[in-house]
Amino acid sequence: MDNSGPKKTCCESVRDFFTSAKFLIYMGHALSTWGDRMWNFAVAVFLVELYGNSLLLTAVYGLVVAGSVLLLGAIIGDWVDRNPRLKVAQTSLLVQNSCVIVCGILLMVVFQFKEQLVELYNGWILTTCYILVITIANIANLASTATSITIQRDWVVVVAGQDSSRLADMNATVRIIDQLTNILAPMLVGQIMAFGSHFIGCGFISGWNLCSMCLEYALLWKVYQKTPALAVKAGQKEQQQELKQLSPPKDSENGQSPEESSQPLMNEASVVAKPDSPKQHGCCYQVSEPLRTLKAGWVAYYNQNIFFAGMSLAFLYMTVLGFDCITTGYAYTQGLNGSVLSLLMGASAVSGICGTVAFTWVRKKCGLIRTGFISGIAQLSCLMLCVVSVFAPGSPFDLSVSPFQDLYTHLIGEKTLPEADHSLTSVLTGGNMTTTTAAPAEELPPLQSYMSVSLLFAGVIAARIGLWSFDLTVTQLIQENVIESERGVINGVQNSMNYLLDLLHFIMVILAPNPEAFGLLVIISVSFVAMGHIMYFWFAFKNLGVRLFFCCSPEQKVETEDSPSLPTTV
């Protein structure tokens, strides 16, 4: 009877879970991700609609966003490292949502008064609005990057504590939330714009971000109060010890309880920042500060023991084997309609969720590093179906057709033949889909015409299991093995590397846009994925040696003499 007293009832356990810092982070992340997915989907549609069904503004926006993160990723991460956690989270949250709200209002004005704006100053007012929309949306994306780094790469680690299994479960849950919102959020805003209007869609997104910002702000504050460890950073500890020697009377302020440490933390940050505030250096030195920060961030990333693991993840972005506009455009040229593609995207999301679940199970059985190795083998094995699809019946792959034919004819100015009108660029820029989808169906029997594309998407969907499991593995490796004071800048550089390889894959498609060359793009993509996993194999073998090939339970730790920086990632 005495033992039954301390036990919690079912209601108490449920209440404790829903009030825990872990659940509050899930709620905040779900709200934030839902708003991001709605905006990312809607802004592309808005820009296409505004510019006369052309992808020019969308392409410019994508280039600006990718280039900004590529150049500023390390600087954003350094800013995350240098400032208190609560200040970083609140600032990035306010900037991101405020920019989306302003952008939404500006787009509402443009949609409502577009005809009048075209006539003012020969359309320069409307052009200025386009520039403002892209600029403000880019700022919102940079703030979203800062939010992702500080919450998913830092706060989650602190809330999980020293429990590697709890960290893996939290990472997997966060990724499942990403998968679900990536499907449901665009569906919601798409229905609103379909049955309402683009004006109503802009208003809905602006109103959602306003309400979501208030809720997320409150949730962040609750998580911060429930997790006292968030109040102190490793870098701030070292700076605080140096300040103690210079100002002994302030020692009494540091002896307060963790619950009271949130308010002095802001004052402490301002004191820490004072040594940098005097203008000890010249103007040129201060102007070049971001460049030095950028260089230092990339050097720090290169010197990390998880460098090859991070590079392996970045190499997976150099691929056309994903559910983006490139693969969708190719599917249209092969006769698949929007209904089939939506079902395939749903299957891809289910496959991704299975990958997150598989990650937690395999990690418990085999350890973290081996999970990445197993996930890589699984992904590559599934992608072999994509390689087979290149040579399967119904594939448009033809080496006799130059992959640079469309690019050459556009540069020289010659007109392409009517048969070449089924290029990916034609589909993506609003070409006649009726003719492009009808041609393959007439030339080839149904079984042959769909055999190649069926193998392609079967491989892509099945490979999502290994892909997401591998992504979670590298994410947790970075979380566990990067020191706290460099966690932001390292993740910022990692984002930059991901965007760099993603940009290269778009450039690759621009150079070879015709469907006859898509098979070549598939082979190149699989080659880059293979190179990425070879890098990871080098990293794993370097840390585990021959033990990499022997699956063991997570309780069997690696000797610290062999890999002192990876004691918990066997």
Side-chain angles (χ1 to χ4, degrees):
M1 298 297 294
D2 296 337
N3 295 332
S4 61
K7 290 184 179 179
K8 295 182 180 180
T9 63
C10 180
C11 294
E12 290 176 342
S13 300
V14 172
R15 183 191 60 190
D16 292 343
F17 173 76
F18 284 111
T19 57
S20 64
K22 181 171 68 173
F23 178 77
L24 295 178
I25 276 192
Y26 295 157
M27 286 294 298
H29 179 69
L31 289 172
S32 176
T33 308
W34 187 278
D36 286 348
R37 297 299 184 268
M38 284 199 307
W39 171 247
N40 291 334
F41 171 80
V43 69
V45 177
F46 293 153
L47 293 176
V48 171
E49 180 69 20
L50 286 174
Y51 208 68
N53 293 328
S54 171
L55 289 178
L56 177 61
L57 286 182
T58 306
V60 171
Y61 170 69
L63 182 62
V64 170
V65 166
S68 299
V69 177
L70 177 60
L71 295 176
L72 303 178
I75 298 175
I76 293 173
D78 182 71
W79 175 75
V80 171
D81 287 333
R82 289 176 178 270
N83 291 276
R85 288 189 173 96
L86 185 61
K87 177 183 177 182
V88 170
Q90 291 176 338
T91 302
S92 57
L93 172 66
L94 293 175
V95 171
Q96 176 190 359
N97 287 275
S98 299
C99 288
V100 173
I101 293 171
V102 172
C103 234
I105 295 174
L106 184 58
L107 285 171
M108 291 173 68
V109 173
V110 173
F111 278 118
Q112 188 70 18
F113 304 102
K114 183 178 179 180
E115 295 181 358
Q116 292 85 340
L117 293 174
V118 171
E119 298 175 357
L120 289 176
Y121 299 99
N122 296 324
W124 282 105
I125 298 296
L126 185 61
T127 303
T128 303
C129 291
Y130 293 157
I131 296 174
L132 286 176
V133 167
I134 292 176
T135 303
I136 298 174
N138 183 47
I139 295 174
N141 183 75
L142 293 176
S144 176
T145 301
T147 302
S148 176
I149 292 174
T150 188
I151 299 298
Q152 298 183 39
R153 303 296 188 262
D154 188 27
W155 282 48
V156 169
V157 180
V158 178
V159 171
Q162 301 297 324
D163 192 342
S164 181
S165 296
R166 188 183 184 190
L167 178 60
D169 293 337
M170 291 186 69
N171 286 331
T173 304
V174 166
R175 197 53 52 86
I176 291 175
I177 293 173
D178 290 340
Q179 291 284 334
L180 293 176
T181 55
N182 196 31
I183 298 176
L184 300 178
M187 288 176 58
L188 175 62
V189 71
Q191 294 300 317
I192 292 175
M193 290 189 295
F195 291 98
S197 64
H198 292 89
F199 181 86
I200 296 176
C202 293
F204 176 79
I205 292 176
S206 297
W208 173 276
N209 278 271
L210 179 61
C211 298
S212 177
M213 178 175 61
C214 300
L215 289 175
E216 289 178 57
Y217 195 95
L219 290 172
L220 286 175
W221 177 248
K222 282 291 185 181
V223 173
Y224 188 78
Q225 285 183 319
K226 290 179 175 291
T227 313
L230 290 171
V232 182
K233 272 189 171 182
Q236 293 173 349
K237 291 178 183 178
E238 299 173 357
Q239 293 173 335
Q240 186 177 357
Q241 291 176 357
E242 296 176 358
L243 289 175
K244 284 182 180 180
Q245 300 176 357
L246 300 176
S247 54
K250 292 194 177 284
D251 289 345
S252 58
E253 295 180 6
N254 300 324
Q256 57 192 343
S257 62
E259 292 79 4
E260 301 172 349
S261 63
S262 58
Q263 182 64 31
L265 179 63
M266 308 302 292
N267 300 330
E268 175 184 295
S270 61
V271 174
V272 171
K274 282 186 177 180
D276 296 332
S277 58
K279 298 182 179 179
Q280 301 175 356
H281 305 284
C283 180
C284 294
Y285 182 88
Q286 295 178 356
V287 171
S288 61
E289 179 67 22
L291 296 178
R292 289 195 303 275
T293 301
L294 182 65
K295 177 183 176 182
W298 284 87
V299 171
Y301 179 78
Y302 176 77
N303 291 329
Q304 294 294 319
N305 62 321
I306 47 88
F307 169 73
F308 282 105
M311 285 294 295
S312 66
L313 178 62
F315 266 61
L316 302 191
Y317 282 78
M318 178 65 176
T319 177
V320 296
L321 302 175
F323 279 89
D324 56 4
C325 58
I326 305 301
T327 310
T328 303
Y330 175 76
Y332 273 120
T333 66
Q334 299 307 297
L336 299 185
N337 55 32
S339 176
V340 174
L341 283 175
S342 63
L343 294 176
L344 292 176
M345 292 183 67
S348 174
V350 173
S351 178
I353 294 175
C354 293
T356 59
V357 176
F359 162 75
T360 57
W361 184 82
V362 176
R363 193 203 65 84
K364 291 178 182 179
K365 296 293 183 180
C366 303
L368 185 59
I369 294 181
R370 292 188 187 89
T371 301
F373 178 64
I374 296 172
S375 302
I377 294 177
Q379 183 187 9
L380 273 177
S381 300
C382 295
L383 290 181
M384 290 300 105
L385 290 175
C386 300
V387 177
V388 173
S389 72
V390 174
F391 307 98
S395 173
F397 182 58
D398 187 0
L399 291 178
S400 63
V401 178
S402 173
F404 308 104
Q405 179 180 359
D406 284 1
L407 179 66
Y408 176 79
T409 53
H410 279 86
L411 291 177
I412 299 301
E414 297 177 358
K415 293 183 179 180
T416 58
L417 296 175
E419 290 79 11
D421 192 51
H422 56 277
S423 66
L424 291 181
T425 52
S426 174
V427 174
L428 295 176
T429 54
N432 190 352
M433 295 182 185
T434 304
T435 59
T436 57
T437 56
E442 294 176 357
E443 295 176 1
L444 296 172
L447 179 61
Q448 291 182 345
S449 62
Y450 290 106
M451 182 178 296
S452 174
V453 71
S454 299
L455 288 173
L456 175 69
F457 280 96
V460 170
I461 293 174
R464 309 294 280 186
I465 298 177
L467 171 65
W468 286 112
S469 179
F470 183 79
D471 180 88
L472 285 169
T473 299
V474 177
T475 297
Q476 187 161 343
L477 282 171
I478 296 176
Q479 289 172 331
E480 292 184 350
N481 296 283
V482 175
I483 60 176
E484 187 177 344
S485 59
E486 293 183 350
R487 198 174 286 159
V489 67
I490 298 303
N491 281 284
V493 175
Q494 182 65 50
N495 286 341
S496 298
M497 285 298 306
N498 297 344
Y499 270 93
L500 174 61
L501 272 298
D502 193 46
L503 272 178
L504 292 179
H505 113 268
F506 277 108
I507 294 174
M508 179 175 66
V509 175
I510 291 173
L511 294 177
N514 51 315
E516 291 83 3
F518 190 80
L520 183 61
L521 301 184
V522 169
I523 296 174
I524 294 175
S525 299
V526 175
S527 299
F528 268 86
V529 172
M531 285 189 288
H533 288 304
I534 289 173
M535 291 181 185
Y536 184 84
F537 173 77
W538 171 254
F539 160 79
F541 190 81
K542 182 180 178 182
N543 286 277
L544 296 182
V546 294
R547 290 169 298 181
L548 174 64
F549 306 103
F550 301 99
C551 185
C552 64
S553 113
E555 287 77 17
Q556 298 176 0
K557 306 292 183 180
V558 178
E559 295 298 329
T560 55
E561 292 81 10
D562 296 334
S563 56
S565 60
L566 293 167
T568 62
T569 55
V570 182

